Amino acid sequence: MKRLKHLTLLAFILIAAMRGFGQKVKLEEGDLSPLKSEKTIAFAFSYDSMMIGAGKESGRPPGPPHPPGPGHSHKQQTEAEYVAKHTEDYNKKSPGKRG
């Protein structure tokens, strides 16, 4: 009988945990009713216009002002610009060495 109580309590805790950690959806606009019958949804994210680097819109809290060191530009740049700049800096620092 004691074991049954423990199993019931464990089942209750597991069910509560599953409900507590489930996905939450915050609807900002539109209607979710067309998705009601769907079991799975495929998402695709595009990072084509993503920029690298700190800026006012980076969301980071402001830190103490300091001059950027070599290879640490604080302007926003594309991935290709970032890779080219850091490759150039690395090759200047360690010529002939592979990363």
Side-chain angles (χ1 to χ4, degrees):
M1 187 68 170
K2 194 172 193 179
R3 185 176 177 145
L4 181 62
K5 286 182 182 179
H6 287 303
L7 288 175
T8 304
L9 180 63
L10 180 64
F12 178 73
I13 290 171
L14 288 175
I15 290 171
M18 289 186 333
R19 289 187 53 97
F21 292 109
Q23 296 290 325
K24 304 281 190 251
V25 175
K26 180 180 177 185
L27 183 62
E28 293 188 11
E29 65 180 58
D31 182 23
L32 295 179
S33 62
L35 301 176
K36 198 172 210 170
S37 63
E38 298 296 325
K39 299 287 183 203
T40 59
I41 302 170
F43 285 94
F45 295 95
S46 172
Y47 299 101
D48 294 340
S49 60
M50 181 179 260
M51 301 295 281
I52 300 171
K56 289 184 178 181
E57 56 278 333
S58 71
R60 290 192 305 178
H66 62 279
H72 296 286
S73 174
H74 288 289
K75 70 178 187 115
Q76 290 199 340
Q77 51 197 336
T78 65
E79 179 187 9
E81 293 168 337
Y82 176 86
V83 169
K85 173 73 174 140
H86 281 72
T87 301
E88 177 185 336
D89 291 343
Y90 182 79
N91 287 335
K92 284 180 186 175
K93 182 178 175 183
S94 305
K97 186 176 178 184
R98 292 186 147 183

